[in-house]
Amino acid sequence: MRNVVVEVEYVSSLYIITGKKKEKIVLFNPKIHELMEELSKKYGHKSKEGSVLKFPQSYNHIYVYVNGKFLKYSEAPETTLMNEDKVTLIPAIVGGC
């Protein structure tokens, strides 16, 4: 397996947690779950809830897009990433009365 470089774009509260709009991440195992684990290690401690960037719980709270295509919850963890893929992470908006 070879290293893959992906660009990760953070939207809304993820931008606040990471302090970045986007960054490049190098992955040895180029799967979405590996990316989420890397981001959890890097930024998980900065999250108030502590679980926003935790794998696998994050799939309940974050919408994942690869090159503009939405990944269903069941597909996301094992999706293989290619060099220069763009991954966009958007936190789910929840709430109510």
Side-chain angles (χ1 to χ4, degrees):
M1 194 149 307
R2 62 183 175 81
N3 287 351
V4 168
V5 178
V6 297
E7 181 178 85
V8 181
E9 179 182 21
Y10 305 105
V11 178
S12 188
S13 62
L14 297 179
Y15 163 74
I16 295 166
I17 291 168
T18 63
K20 301 174 184 180
K21 289 189 178 185
K22 57 177 74 171
E23 70 178 315
K24 295 208 181 245
I25 301 285
V26 178
L27 300 170
F28 176 70
N29 179 15
K31 302 261 186 197
I32 291 288
H33 73 83
E34 178 70 20
L35 172 63
M36 298 304 280
E37 288 173 3
E38 286 298 314
L39 295 176
S40 177
K41 287 182 216 170
K42 192 170 184 179
Y43 299 114
H45 66 283
K46 294 183 179 183
S47 167
K48 289 180 185 174
E49 292 122 9
S51 65
V52 173
L53 288 174
K54 298 284 185 196
F55 172 80
Q57 300 93 330
S58 58
Y59 297 107
N60 294 326
H61 305 289
I62 297 176
Y63 295 112
V64 179
Y65 291 79
V66 176
N67 300 322
K69 180 184 177 227
F70 174 69
L71 298 181
K72 295 178 187 171
Y73 176 85
S74 59
E75 299 172 342
E78 292 305 317
T79 297
T80 300
L81 297 167
M82 304 300 286
N83 207 38
E84 299 300 320
D85 274 350
K86 181 179 179 184
V87 178
T88 304
L89 302 176
I90 303 174
I93 299 173
V94 296
C97 299

